[in-house]
Amino acid sequence: MLGFLIRRLASSIALLLVTALLTFVLLSIPNQDVGRQLLGMQATQQAIDAKNAELGLDRPILVQFFDWLTHALQGDFGRSWFSSENVATAIGNRLPVTLSLMIGVTLVTAVFGYLLGVWAGTRRGRVDTFVQVFSVAGYALPGFLVTIVIVIVFAVKLGWFPAIGYTPITTSFTGWLSTITLPVISLSLAAVAGVAQQVRSSVIEVSRSDYIRTLTTRGLPRRRILFRHVLRNASAPALTVLGLQFVGLLGGAVIVEQIFGLPGIGSMTIKYTSQGDIPIIMGLVMLTAIGVVIINLLVDLAIGALLPKARVS
Amino acid sequence: MNKRVLGAIGAAVAAVLLLSGCAGGGSAASTTTHDKTLRLATMTVPQSLDPKDATGSALPFFQAVYDTLVLRTPDGDYKPMLATEWSYNDDQTVLSMTLRTGVTFDDGTPFDAKAAKANLERFRDSGGPDAANLAGITVDVVDDTHLTLTLQQPNPGLLFFLSDSAGLMANPSDFAQKDALVTSPDGTGPYVLDKDKTAIGTTWVYEKRKDYWGTAPDFSTVTMQVFDNENAVVNGLKTGQIDAAVLQTADQQLAAEQDKDLTLQDVLFDFQGILLFDRGGAVTPALAKPEVRQALNYALDRETLLKVVRDGRGQVTSQVWGVDSQGYEKSLDDYYSYDPAKAKQLLAEAGYPNGFELTLPRLTSIVTDNIASALQTDFAKVGVKLTWADVDAASALKQIFVEKKFSGMVMNMGQSSNDWIVYSTLIAPGTFNFFGTMDDEVNTLAAQARALPADQTAELYQKMNERIVQQAWFVPFYRMTYKLVTVPGITAAPQSGMAVPSIYNYSLSK
Amino acid sequence: MTQDAAIQTSGLAPAEASRPVSVWRALLSRPLAFVSAAVLLIVVLVAILAPWIAPFGANQADLIHAFEGPQAGHPLGFDSAGRDVLSRLIYGAQNTIGGAGIALLVALVIGVPTGLVAGYYGRWFDSVSNWMTNLVMSLPAMIILLASRAVLGPTVWVLMVVLGFLVSPSFFRLVRGAVAGVRGELYVDAARVSGLSDARIIARHVLTVVRAPVIIQVALVGGIAIGLQAGLEFIGIGSGNIPTWGAMLNEAFTNFYRAPLLLLWPGLALGLTSAALVLLAAGIRDALDDRGREPRAPGRARRRAMAAQRAAERAELPVEGRGGLLSIRGLRVAYRQGEGDDVEVVHGVDLDVERGQIVGLVGESGSGKSQTAFSALGIIPTDGYVRSGSILVTDREVVDAASDDARRARRALGYVPQEPMSNLDPSFTIGSQLTEPLRVGGGMSRAAARRTVLDLLRAVEIADPERVYRSYPHEISGGMAQRVLIAGALSTDPSLIIADEPTTALDVTVQAEVLGILRRLRDERGVGVLIVTHNLGVIADLCDRVCVMSDGRIVETGETTQVLTAPRHPYTQRLVASVPDETVTRAPWRDPLLIEEAS
């Protein structure tokens, strides 16, 4: 186990370094004349050059990268060029929003995806068809259309939930719940469909296996066999899918954030990447990469815990 | 299993709904007594809270914490703020100002002429976006409450600048430490930044200052929230989570109009049109001929464009001077009618019977599909082949203004209420006239106008306007009507010379 | 008796699968898949033929007509710039499908070959490509897309190529997993041994395994690519002048309050295409799994009527002469088919097992002996049902009984299955699986259950019961597993053990031990045994009585000695006659060299 973790750690560090370098180079290649963008059209060329020098943009790309790296290793990610925010603070402010969404969506998806998948996999017939259709609808409908309809119906017309904004959980638990409910529902619909499909297939497959049949003969109630034995063995593909979705959400649910006015990682990414605000983007890149590493590790550990046969030897 | 599970799910959903209902989804309150918090929505992010970086629509962020020397009222008049009196000398080159006494910053530093001088010089030398407004000005302290600004040449825009970003006064003891003011503004304004509640980049929260020297504002808290799309803003207005906002897009204005509780007022500040930089024909030789430029103006069907692009929300125009200014003449709005035949004739006269080719940069945020195809179609009808070059926002400025690759661009430009500023921004050689084209008549008029006090210049600017329109320096489309939207209980007044209202323009309804 | 045929553990032999022709037929016979394929075909055709079928140019605009509704020549109306919606929809198909196609192509070109090589050869290539896959997957997709745009140009094609690159890991993993799974298969080794080159093996054998999952993934990823494109347009990262459905959707959204209907057409197009892709993928997957058309279960009324009829029939059965442990009368078992009538596999079987008796149920594969055993145990596979008859387990009727009653009655039964390894839940330890019925059904404490199970493991002659208790199924041998299964069968303290071919999968020595255990159980505990087998030697060794089954009927029953030495029914006679005996058919072999030397 220890060896496994150490090897993971080493390869993860290499991964982070390469990711950082690649992204930094990719961002630096198109010289986007940051000085001019910051100072506006009225500024003199001299002032613009001075600004660019102040930001260190007149140095070779690799030198800039190593400068960033040395600072980053000490925990200093610098300041945004375009809004002067401290990068770590800025990301830290937005992270709770995205984390709330991620955790909320994953929970809802896991619970409803499993329930629907099990329902479809065991009942078959009409229920199964309904779940299939629902899955297809979940995939097929463009996400933002669904989100917009949800906002108009539940927030604007009915007024059950706020239409925009985010209340931190530290300020008010019910407030936080009310601001993330609609976004989580919007994001979960397609995700639930995917997980339900996976769970359904796995449940059908595992239900047919010999050991389930044998367990039935030992007098165990059907429900117990279903939830303890079938689900556990059917979980691996579903867990992988959940893990992938979680990672995807880390990139930020951009559209949902825009429509609900949530200050999350997604809209931050779009805005600052379009401008070429390298300090912020590199901070985001590191966050994403570290997040992916951790999540992959957790998924592998979870699968290993549930399915001993899959454990890395 | 199923009934029980369904029941459990149903109970959970009901619980969530119940809790959220209690949590305050915020109803579009139709009560007319509003609470003392003002929640503003904006699409602009200030680069920092250091006044040297202030510009344009970000001004309210600064107005909350810093006062300006001169206050510009909603109608465009200049009233005392940190300066109580001011006057020019006879040749308009020296502005003497008397400053208010008894105003201090939070740490006890007095606001006096020395402080004002430090601020003005810093703004001038800092290389910020509006620094050029104070270029060439020297500031001299006469005594604690008296200050003179000396110009090399008369600048009728100076008072405007002192009521705008250049006039913001910060605590000079913060100047020594670099970047101190960037996140910790220190001024004399009606509010103070609440750093704990503020999340820079998304929400700025200001609390009322306890001992403000001026009239106390109606609100004890002001929050400014940044959005990147107007759809969320309108939803926020409808649910009462936002109190006021300016809506630019026609579609969202329509959405806001659906809610009968909201109040909408017209704001006319921006116009949209083609800035034809290349009047000298450097990139497109044909444009050197005024007949050609006039032909472009005649070729455009402005009425249809306005109807389709902005749902008619705006006013067709052929001039770049705005309705607030002295140089504005209503008759010039229709100077160029829609006349493709005349356009073709003019082109033939100019020696281009078969038209010519024109390439313009396309910024998708400004040039939507309908504008792009409308221009192409209209110009094609008179023989001008218009090609759009896709430029991405980050490198656009460089390609257009530095590398000078294009003959013009479609822009949304503010129409200043100050005529001199209109001239110096759009017409005089400079940022928006980077090819440096000049017109003798305009030069003469400008030289005359700059030296005269404001009450004597109306006719000069009108003549200048007429000349520019007749020489077709631009191809304006229309002035765009924005809407200032407020919820019940909040009153706001549009601000002359700015797209968004000044922070002082908001109040609780009586 | 010929040879051991492949044992069907799930009841019915599945139809021939994985023949390409029948897959297509299976696919197209399902209405949903057929419709999806048709829709996709239409979309692709529209995309290819766009320049010829679109009535107007994609960017041909007449601003006067902007936002106008359907009219002559413009069946879908005009958009916000006065362009014909239908034409833009058609060209949009070209660009949207084309873009998705590019993304898919890039993903396939990168993912499939690397996956093949990594899965087949393994070693360093595998490790390196796995690491690179992780790298690509941890790159923040949005940032890469935006940054590439700045470097390579703001066209939609660039975005699609980068998207393809970002999505390629999913194909890599899929292919690698499938290939690695197959690499160890016997037929691949056989191919290698017969001298086929690696390339040939990969192309011919490995690719056919990989083909199906890749096709399904292509359909799913295609749908994702189309959806992503639309999403990117929505946030303003898009195609500029090129019409795509995503761009049309975004334009419709920006003008939502002025012309809400504009959302309908691109939304429908996107939705239908995505739905068709997903349904087609699901259809292919189902067709390959050969899940034939699902049989419709009869409605509740019909089921009640059938149960009533069965009860009526049972009421007429004589009460005497029914076996003490297990008594089956007139058992008919049938299977519902996707199409056509139900197929009956057991045509009225009578069987009795008395206390302390070992009864053998013998017959060829397909005779219905396993079905009979499953009926008694209550584990008939899906789509099978007891059509009529009575099954008494220790004098309690289990046919049509309430499920809890039946379950309690069947606690008297223990089941020893045929294939040891696949009958143990791989995710739980032996101990956990074996104690579970004791704690849940029997209400034992954890300590008591543990002691009981350890005793049982000792009873089945496992040397180190504590170690086996702690182990997972994949950590013990086949013979050990079969003993564990016997212990499991005993854990509920049954009166009758039903063993289904318990020795077929075992080595000969282990077979003897297992049979010995069964005999000892009868001798020491008085447990009855019903042993289902095709092996007459087992019958001869172990059973007191034997029933011979053929084609779903019992043809002969009686005491073992009598049936084996003097069979009455012709079928039994043939069975007994085909057992190899001492008749010499040829001379023993002698080494030719030695013969030569000797002579």
Side-chain angles (χ1 to χ4, degrees):
Chain A
M1 184 66 175
L2 192 61
F4 166 69
L5 282 175
I6 290 180
R7 262 178 287 131
R8 257 304 170 91
L9 192 65
S11 94
S12 304
I13 291 178
L15 201 82
L16 289 173
L17 269 175
V18 174
T19 308
L21 180 62
L22 271 179
T23 328
F24 195 93
V25 170
L26 192 61
L27 290 167
S28 304
I29 291 180
N31 186 349
Q32 294 184 328
D33 206 0
V34 178
R36 186 177 308 275
Q37 283 192 69
L38 284 172
L39 295 178
M41 294 171 281
Q42 313 254 44
T44 59
Q45 186 61 44
Q46 196 185 7
I48 290 174
D49 289 340
K51 190 74 170 176
N52 280 333
E54 181 191 322
L55 296 173
L57 290 170
D58 50 347
R59 299 169 299 168
I61 293 182
L62 282 178
V63 172
Q64 292 182 46
F65 176 69
F66 277 113
D67 189 36
W68 175 85
L69 188 63
T70 38
H71 280 106
L73 286 173
Q74 297 166 31
D76 174 16
F77 285 89
R79 241 183 220 299
S80 155
W81 293 338
F82 286 87
S83 68
S84 311
E85 308 169 67
N86 178 295
V87 173
T89 319
I91 295 182
N93 279 337
R94 290 197 168 69
L95 199 53
V97 180
T98 302
L99 272 179
S100 305
L101 286 183
M102 280 164 71
I103 293 176
V105 171
T106 306
L107 271 174
V108 169
T109 308
V111 168
F112 284 94
Y114 264 86
L115 284 176
L116 277 175
V118 166
W119 204 28
T122 48
R123 284 310 203 103
R124 315 304 299 281
R126 229 166 279 165
V127 171
D128 193 10
T129 316
F130 161 71
V131 170
Q132 299 264 49
V133 169
F134 171 66
S135 307
V136 169
Y139 278 135
L141 289 173
F144 56 88
L145 265 184
V146 173
T147 312
I148 291 165
V149 169
I150 287 180
V151 172
I152 292 180
V153 171
F154 292 101
V156 179
K157 288 267 159 21
L158 289 173
W160 288 353
F161 296 95
I164 55 166
Y166 172 78
T167 309
I169 194 171
T170 44
T171 309
S172 149
F173 179 72
T174 42
W176 173 77
L177 206 62
S178 71
T179 49
I180 64 160
T181 304
L182 287 186
V184 164
I185 292 178
S186 313
L187 286 169
S188 301
L189 283 173
V192 165
V195 172
Q197 272 277 48
Q198 276 292 357
V199 171
R200 171 195 170 272
S201 299
S202 307
V203 163
I204 291 176
E205 202 184 303
V206 169
S207 295
R208 291 188 182 185
S209 44
D210 290 343
Y211 57 86
I212 296 295
R213 187 190 60 191
T214 305
L215 283 168
T216 325
T217 63
R218 303 232 181 98
L220 291 168
R222 256 185 50 216
R223 198 168 309 167
R224 188 183 169 98
I225 294 182
L226 181 64
F227 282 104
R228 194 170 148 85
H229 293 270
V230 172
L231 268 194
R232 186 148 162 172
N233 284 290
S235 288
L239 273 181
T240 313
V241 168
L242 273 177
L244 283 173
Q245 284 175 353
F246 202 62
V247 169
L249 284 171
L250 185 61
V254 178
I255 292 173
V256 163
E257 285 178 23
Q258 282 201 350
I259 294 178
F260 286 96
L262 297 171
I265 300 281
S267 42
M268 186 186 202
T269 308
I270 301 291
K271 191 157 75 166
Y272 289 95
T273 311
S274 314
Q275 289 173 324
D277 192 333
I278 292 187
I280 293 256
I281 301 172
M282 290 305 294
L284 286 171
V285 168
M286 283 296 98
L287 174 75
T288 317
I290 293 175
V292 168
V293 166
I294 292 179
I295 291 165
N296 278 341
L297 183 65
L298 285 175
V299 170
D300 282 347
L301 286 176
I303 292 184
L306 285 181
L307 301 172
K309 210 163 162 189
R311 283 178 197 162
V312 180
S313 46
Chain B
M1 126 166 150
N2 306 303
K3 288 207 177 59
R4 223 180 296 155
V5 170
L6 278 175
I9 298 175
V13 170
V16 168
L17 289 178
L18 208 65
L19 281 175
S20 325
C22 300
S27 43
S30 42
T31 57
T32 41
T33 34
H34 195 278
D35 67 356
K36 292 210 158 181
T37 307
L38 178 66
R39 299 169 199 85
L40 298 175
T42 167
M43 309 265 286
T44 323
V45 182
Q47 230 182 75
S48 86
L49 287 174
D50 186 328
K52 71 171 169 61
D53 297 321
T55 182
S57 297
L59 208 61
F61 286 94
F62 297 88
Q63 287 173 336
V65 282
Y66 304 108
D67 291 316
T68 45
L69 285 173
V70 176
L71 173 71
R72 194 169 77 249
T73 65
D75 298 325
D77 291 331
Y78 299 115
K79 290 261 151 53
M81 204 171 201
L82 284 180
T84 50
E85 289 172 32
W86 50 83
S87 59
Y88 271 109
N89 66 348
D90 285 331
D91 62 356
Q92 311 286 317
T93 52
V94 178
L95 179 68
S96 311
M97 306 188 86
T98 310
L99 302 177
R100 190 176 295 274
T101 50
V103 183
T104 51
F105 295 98
D106 279 338
D107 63 352
T109 315
F111 170 73
D112 58 9
K114 276 221 306 277
K117 173 176 156 90
N119 270 284
L120 290 168
E121 286 178 343
R122 181 173 183 263
F123 191 88
R124 176 194 69 198
D125 301 333
S126 64
D130 282 352
N133 290 348
L134 291 184
I137 295 185
T138 41
V139 185
D140 296 296
V141 171
V142 173
D143 62 39
D144 269 352
T145 52
H146 291 89
L147 195 69
T148 56
L149 283 75
T150 313
L151 308 139
Q152 288 165 359
Q153 273 194 303
N155 188 341
L158 183 58
L159 268 179
F160 182 93
F161 297 140
L162 295 176
S163 72
D164 202 76
S165 52
L168 292 166
M169 295 286 123
N171 188 343
S173 36
D174 289 319
F175 292 170
Q177 189 195 347
K178 187 174 184 314
D179 289 346
L181 292 168
V182 163
T183 47
S184 308
D186 187 0
T188 56
Y191 301 94
V192 179
L193 185 72
D194 184 337
K195 289 189 77 173
D196 292 326
K197 296 214 188 104
T198 296
I200 297 214
T202 34
T203 316
W204 282 253
V205 180
Y206 301 92
E207 299 291 334
K208 184 169 170 170
R209 181 190 288 274
K210 281 194 209 30
D211 48 0
Y212 183 53
W213 60 264
T215 336
D218 281 354
F219 305 100
S220 53
T221 313
V222 173
T223 49
M224 301 206 209
Q225 212 177 337
V226 173
F227 291 87
D228 43 21
N229 70 97
E230 287 190 350
N231 181 53
V233 172
V234 171
N235 283 340
L237 284 165
K238 287 184 179 176
T239 53
Q241 292 170 280
I242 295 176
D243 294 325
V246 172
L247 296 176
Q248 294 186 6
T249 58
D251 201 58
Q252 293 304 326
Q253 290 178 12
L254 255 172
E257 281 163 8
Q258 286 179 346
D259 187 335
K260 297 295 171 241
D261 287 335
L262 297 173
T263 313
L264 284 80
Q265 300 173 70
D266 284 352
V267 174
L268 278 171
F269 183 68
D270 278 351
F271 82 94
Q272 190 174 68
I274 305 179
L275 305 181
L276 286 175
F277 306 125
D278 192 17
R279 297 150 218 135
V283 176
T284 311
L287 290 176
K289 299 251 166 90
E291 292 87 1
V292 169
R293 301 195 297 267
Q294 288 163 353
L296 289 178
N297 270 287
Y298 279 113
L300 203 55
D301 182 359
R302 292 173 172 79
E303 291 286 355
T304 311
L305 200 62
L306 179 64
K307 184 163 83 84
V308 173
V309 175
R310 292 202 56 81
D311 193 34
R313 291 152 193 273
Q315 297 160 355
V316 161
T317 183
S318 305
Q319 57 189 318
V320 299
W321 259 262
V323 294
D324 282 347
S325 63
Q326 295 180 347
Y328 172 76
E329 281 179 75
K330 194 152 182 358
S331 55
L332 288 177
D333 278 340
D334 308 314
Y335 188 90
Y336 289 109
S337 54
Y338 176 49
D339 199 338
K342 184 149 183 198
K344 279 208 261 220
Q345 189 195 349
L346 281 167
L347 281 172
E349 281 172 26
Y352 294 95
N354 300 320
F356 60 96
E357 288 186 10
L358 178 66
T359 308
L360 292 178
R362 182 174 173 185
L363 280 151
T364 38
S365 51
I366 299 176
V367 183
T368 46
D369 277 1
N370 34 25
I371 299 175
S373 56
L375 286 179
Q376 268 179 322
T377 317
D378 280 352
F379 286 169
K381 285 208 194 110
V382 302
V384 176
K385 183 163 177 298
L386 171 61
T387 317
W388 292 104
D390 285 304
V391 286
D392 98 284
S395 58
L397 288 179
K398 187 155 143 212
Q399 289 186 46
I400 299 171
F401 290 94
V402 181
E403 294 168 14
K404 305 184 187 171
K405 283 195 199 160
F406 300 101
S407 291
M409 72 183 291
V410 175
M411 269 217 63
N412 296 349
M413 287 288 300
Q415 297 181 308
S416 181
S417 47
N418 183 304
D419 299 76
W420 180 255
I421 295 180
V422 176
Y423 165 76
S424 56
T425 321
L426 279 174
I427 296 167
T431 318
F432 287 96
N433 184 357
F434 48 82
F435 284 114
T437 46
M438 291 197 283
D439 179 284
D440 289 330
E441 196 182 311
V442 170
N443 287 351
T444 322
L445 289 165
Q448 286 180 312
R450 81 186 306 165
L452 291 170
D455 50 0
Q456 300 174 20
T457 51
E459 217 185 286
L460 290 169
Y461 287 121
Q462 281 167 2
K463 284 219 192 91
M464 195 190 290
N465 189 1
E466 283 162 25
R467 176 73 181 163
I468 293 289
V469 171
Q470 190 258 333
Q471 285 291 296
W473 271 37
F474 306 94
V475 184
F477 304 160
Y478 38 70
R479 288 184 290 274
M480 300 192 282
T481 308
Y482 297 158
K483 295 281 185 192
L484 170 60
V485 185
T486 45
V487 297
I490 299 284
T491 309
Q495 174 66 42
S496 154
M498 222 158 71
V500 294
S502 291
I503 199 104
Y504 323 109
N505 299 11
Y506 298 98
S507 56
L508 288 169
S509 309
K510 298 290 174 287
Chain C
M1 193 57 158
T2 47
Q3 80 244 9
D4 291 0
I7 311 299
Q8 310 303 334
T9 49
S10 43
L12 278 184
E16 293 273 284
S18 303
R19 294 284 108 78
V21 176
S22 65
V23 167
W24 284 115
R25 213 180 302 146
L27 183 65
L28 293 174
S29 67
R30 316 164 96 83
L32 219 49
F34 179 70
V35 168
S36 309
V39 166
L40 282 174
L41 191 64
I42 293 176
V43 170
V44 170
L45 276 177
V46 166
I48 295 175
L49 298 173
W52 292 281
I53 54 176
F56 298 92
N59 288 317
Q60 197 177 330
D62 214 347
L63 205 64
I64 303 258
H65 296 295
F67 295 114
E68 281 177 20
Q71 50 191 260
H74 300 268
L76 299 181
F78 294 87
D79 71 359
S80 70
R83 296 170 294 203
D84 178 41
V85 172
L86 181 62
S87 307
R88 280 183 71 79
L89 207 62
I90 293 174
Y91 278 106
Q94 192 176 56
N95 293 312
T96 309
I97 304 291
I102 289 180
L104 277 172
L105 195 66
V106 170
L108 283 170
V109 162
I110 296 178
V112 174
T114 41
L116 279 173
V117 174
Y120 192 71
Y121 291 107
R123 292 184 309 236
W124 67 267
F125 189 84
D126 194 15
S127 321
V128 168
S129 35
N130 263 319
W131 189 85
M132 295 216 58
T133 307
N134 282 332
L135 177 69
V136 173
M137 288 179 74
S138 57
L139 287 174
M142 193 53 77
I143 296 178
I144 299 288
L145 282 167
L146 287 170
S148 320
R149 218 160 159 260
V151 173
L152 299 167
T155 60
V156 70
W157 313 118
V158 164
L159 278 179
M160 290 292 111
V161 167
V162 175
L163 188 67
F165 168 72
L166 289 172
V167 167
S168 59
S170 70
F171 284 100
F172 169 82
R173 284 221 168 138
L174 190 68
V175 171
R176 179 194 168 278
V179 172
V182 151
R183 180 178 41 170
E185 289 291 327
L186 294 172
Y187 65 84
V188 172
D189 281 344
R192 257 203 222 116
V193 163
S194 36
L196 290 176
S197 72
D198 281 342
R200 182 100 188 262
I201 296 177
I202 291 180
R204 206 126 192 257
H205 300 282
V206 176
L207 259 183
T208 42
V209 172
V210 157
R211 197 175 52 192
V214 167
I215 292 179
I216 295 174
Q217 186 82 333
V218 163
L220 290 172
V221 171
I224 292 176
I226 293 178
L228 261 171
Q229 201 191 68
L232 287 172
E233 290 279 357
F234 181 79
I235 45 186
I237 305 164
S239 52
N241 275 326
I242 304 173
T244 61
W245 289 340
M248 290 177 73
L249 210 55
N250 187 31
E251 184 200 326
F253 175 63
T254 0
N255 290 292
F256 179 64
Y257 289 93
R258 291 174 79 178
L261 269 182
L262 282 179
L263 267 180
L264 183 62
W265 309 114
L268 260 182
L270 268 172
L272 277 177
T273 311
S274 300
L277 280 169
V278 168
L279 284 173
L280 189 64
I284 295 177
R285 188 178 41 224
D286 281 352
L288 287 170
D289 282 355
D290 210 61
R291 294 202 198 119
R293 277 258 277 289
E294 293 234 342
R296 299 290 305 279
R300 208 179 291 168
R302 174 128 178 77
R303 274 187 276 143
R304 232 177 281 157
M306 285 167 42
Q309 187 179 9
R310 283 196 286 269
E313 286 169 10
R314 278 198 297 275
E316 294 177 13
L317 290 171
V319 181
E320 317 78 37
R322 310 270 324 242
L325 286 183
L326 177 68
S327 173
I328 302 177
R329 291 284 180 274
L331 178 68
R332 288 178 195 277
V333 176
Y335 278 79
R336 285 183 275 266
Q337 301 293 307
E339 292 153 43
D341 294 326
D342 296 352
V343 168
E344 195 174 89
V345 294
V346 176
H347 311 297
V349 156
D350 293 349
L351 188 107
D352 289 292
V353 182
E354 300 290 353
R355 292 189 197 283
Q357 231 181 25
I358 302 187
V359 175
L361 182 55
V362 69
E364 293 173 351
S365 17
S367 57
K369 55 192 197 299
S370 293
Q371 298 301 312
T372 311
F374 291 159
S375 312
L377 289 161
I379 52 174
I380 303 180
T382 348
D383 300 330
Y385 64 97
V386 170
R387 199 178 236 180
S388 72
S390 152
I391 301 178
L392 292 179
V393 176
T394 55
D395 295 325
R396 283 185 283 189
E397 181 65 63
V398 292
V399 175
D400 289 334
S403 71
D404 280 342
D405 292 336
R407 197 158 46 82
R408 248 170 278 142
R410 286 188 168 115
R411 278 185 79 89
L413 298 175
Y415 175 55
V416 178
Q418 172 183 311
E419 171 59 57
M421 290 313 286
S422 67
N423 276 288
L424 289 167
D425 187 334
S427 306
F428 292 88
T429 58
I430 307 287
S432 152
Q433 289 182 50
L434 259 44
T435 52
E436 192 180 348
L438 297 174
R439 292 190 297 138
V440 172
M444 265 193 216
S445 74
R446 182 179 278 204
R450 184 186 147 89
R451 260 176 289 140
T452 313
V453 166
L454 286 174
D455 285 339
L456 282 173
L457 291 176
R458 268 184 281 270
V460 293
E461 294 164 18
I462 288 178
D464 188 355
E466 269 94 0
R467 186 185 74 80
V468 170
Y469 188 91
R470 280 193 308 266
S471 308
Y472 283 97
H474 63 273
E475 294 170 339
I476 60 176
S477 70
M480 194 99 66
Q482 189 62 307
R483 292 168 207 261
V484 165
L485 282 169
I486 298 176
L490 289 172
S491 65
T492 51
D493 199 17
S495 316
L496 171 67
I497 291 186
I498 300 183
D500 187 7
E501 312 266 14
T503 55
T504 314
L506 300 173
D507 301 332
V508 179
T509 44
V510 182
Q511 277 187 31
E513 287 166 7
V514 167
L515 293 178
I517 294 169
L518 288 176
R519 199 181 304 114
R520 229 177 7 87
L521 288 172
R522 187 273 304 268
D523 295 338
E524 290 170 10
R525 298 180 181 221
V527 170
V529 179
L530 173 65
I531 182 159
V532 175
T533 180
H534 59 266
N535 187 334
L536 288 180
V538 168
I539 302 280
D541 190 33
L542 195 63
C543 302
D544 303 324
R545 292 181 60 80
V546 62
C547 305
V548 180
M549 259 188 98
S550 168
D551 279 331
R553 289 187 175 76
I554 303 239
V555 297
E556 185 160 353
T557 164
E559 295 215 7
T560 317
T561 340
Q562 183 246 305
V563 170
L564 290 182
T565 49
R568 286 194 291 265
H569 194 277
Y571 177 72
T572 326
Q573 289 161 357
R574 273 206 310 276
L575 259 187
V576 173
S578 39
V579 175
D581 58 17
E582 304 94 32
T583 323
V584 177
T585 48
R586 59 170 175 79
W589 180 86
R590 291 198 12 222
D591 188 343
L593 291 176
L594 290 178
I595 301 174
E596 269 191 43
E597 277 180 20
S599 55

